[in-house]
Amino acid sequence: MIDILIGDKAYKVKEAKTQEERAKGLSGIKSLPKDEGMLFYLDNPNPSFWMKDTLIPLDIVFINSDNEVISVASGKPNDETPITESNVKYVLEVNANSGIQEGDDLEFITDDDKMLVLDSKGEVQMELEGGERIFSRRSTKVLIKKAKKAKLVEKDE
């Protein structure tokens, strides 16, 4: 499972990268927590999805290579009617009526997005996910001044 943001909603999603994972999808599941789903990584930019053996209604969200939602389709349980779209890189399946809209952006949340506070030996002391303050305002101003001065010296050389 990985964490993503789409629009203003956070989800934990299973990844469907192989042909077998994509073929199985969410078929057979009887319920899906509201903050979970499945993200399909596509080889074919013109996919066709259907809801065969899928027991719950889903939003099928088509996303392009710019990580932007290009359309959202409603998937009805056990419906074998193909749902198609063009120029697609990912498809996200989540519970129906998710509120995801065309134009929303997909963001992957990775451990790289965290800042690590290290001690003098390089050991992790704390993980920051964003918004936490680790320096006072005064210290921050001093650091900015020093950085600007270093940038000027760098240009001189």
Side-chain angles (χ1 to χ4, degrees), residues 55-98:
L55 308 174
I56 58 173
L58 298 172
D59 279 351
I60 302 171
V61 182
F62 295 94
I63 303 163
N64 66 18
S65 59
D66 293 328
N67 291 1
E68 184 178 321
V69 174
I70 53 176
S71 68
V72 180
S74 295
K76 297 173 183 65
N78 294 306
D79 187 354
E80 295 186 26
T81 306
I83 301 170
T84 60
E85 185 59 78
S86 301
N87 301 315
V88 178
K89 183 174 182 180
Y90 306 104
V91 171
L92 174 66
E93 290 185 344
V94 294
N95 284 307
N97 303 311
S98 65

Side-chain angles (χ1 to χ4, degrees), residues 3-95:
D3 295 318
I4 63 167
L5 286 174
I6 189 156
D8 61 352
K9 296 166 185 62
Y11 290 93
K12 286 193 172 301
V13 294
K14 293 180 182 174
E15 297 176 282
K17 292 183 176 182
T18 68
Q19 182 58 37
E20 295 78 25
E21 291 168 336
R22 289 189 295 259
K24 181 172 180 357
L26 293 174
S27 64
I29 66 163
K30 295 180 181 172
S31 68
L32 183 66
K34 68 177 184 172
D35 63 343
E36 291 186 12
M38 180 168 272
L39 184 66
F40 295 78
Y41 295 74
L42 303 179
D43 299 327
N44 175 5
N46 304 307
S48 181
F49 277 67
W50 66 351
M51 297 285 290
K52 181 180 180 188
D53 299 325
T54 304
L55 308 174
I56 58 173
L58 298 172
D59 279 351
I60 302 171
V61 182
F62 295 94
I63 303 163
N64 66 18
S65 59
D66 293 328
N67 291 1
E68 184 178 321
V69 174
I70 53 176
S71 68
V72 180
S74 295
K76 297 173 183 65
N78 294 306
D79 187 354
E80 295 186 26
T81 306
I83 301 170
T84 60
E85 185 59 78
S86 301
N87 301 315
V88 178
K89 183 174 182 180
Y90 306 104
V91 171
L92 174 66
E93 290 185 344
V94 294
N95 284 307

Side-chain angles (χ1 to χ4, degrees), residues 141-157:
K141 288 179 182 179
V142 169
L143 287 171
I144 291 170
K145 282 183 183 178
K146 288 184 178 189
K148 287 179 179 177
K149 187 174 183 180
K151 189 74 172 170
L152 290 173
V153 169
E154 180 181 284
K155 286 181 183 177
D156 290 343
E157 292 178 7

Side-chain angles (χ1 to χ4, degrees), residues 108-122:
F108 292 90
I109 307 301
T110 65
D111 287 339
D112 296 342
D113 294 336
K114 295 180 181 177
M115 179 184 285
L116 303 178
V117 178
L118 308 177
D119 65 14
S120 60
K121 296 176 186 170

